[in-house]
Amino acid sequence: MGDCLFCKIARGEIPSKKVYEDSEFFAFHDINPVAPVHFMLIPKLHVASLLEADASHAALLGKMLLLAPKLAKEQGLVNGFRTFINTGRGGGQEVMHLHIHIIGGGHIPPMVRRG
Ligand code: AMP
Ligand code: ZN
């Protein structure tokens, strides 16, 4: 996708603070972090969101989930981290290129408060 922000970041056309890169994935720090460590893991393949993912992406998605803890540990998040994926406008997604947010390193409150 020529005009996709995260495709451009993965191609190195827009600078980023790179965390990791291989032939299929790219990871970089979020420009507006919500925690001491906040980076995103993306596939180099342009998939707009989980709504556009299908069975042909099963291996890619599996690899992403397995890569996330490896990178988190490398970033110092040895005691754990939070991952989240915003999906579509209804899920608050702003950049339409599938990405996993990985955050940690500070106080990470419960995501859902009840009562
Ligand atoms: P989402 O709301 O899940 O689509 O998340 C998009 C994220 O991309 C936000 O957390 C932004 O802070 C982040 N972001 C936007 N532009 C850049 C950029 N050029 N470099 C790094 N992160 C970015
Ligand atoms: Zn893209």
Side-chain angles (χ1 to χ4, degrees):
M1 280 279 287
D3 59 350
C4 168
L5 175 65
F6 285 0
C7 281
K8 286 182 176 172
I9 286 177
R11 290 195 297 261
E13 294 168 13
I14 290 178
S16 69
K17 280 176 65 186
K18 184 162 87 174
V19 167
Y20 175 82
E21 179 173 15
D22 66 22
S23 61
E24 288 184 286
F25 302 104
F26 194 89
F28 56 102
H29 290 283
D30 198 294
I31 205 166
N32 189 17
V34 299
V37 177
H38 182 176
F39 64 96
M40 285 172 291
L41 173 58
I42 69 171
K44 287 186 172 176
L45 179 72
H46 180 84
V47 180
S49 81
L50 281 182
L51 283 169
E52 283 74 27
D54 61 31
S56 73
H57 304 112
L60 190 81
L61 293 171
K63 285 185 207 171
M64 270 180 92
L65 274 186
L66 292 172
L67 185 54
K70 179 176 179 287
L71 299 183
K73 279 187 272 184
E74 285 175 7
Q75 293 300 310
L77 304 179
V78 292
N79 293 321
F81 54 91
R82 173 169 290 161
T83 50
F84 57 94
I85 304 173
N86 297 325
T87 300
R89 295 293 176 207
Q93 185 179 0
E94 293 179 335
V95 178
M96 292 301 162
H97 180 126
L98 176 63
H99 51 282
I100 301 179
H101 292 262
I102 296 154
I103 69 169
H107 174 63
I108 303 295
M111 201 129 141
V112 178
R113 293 186 187 279
R114 298 182 176 83

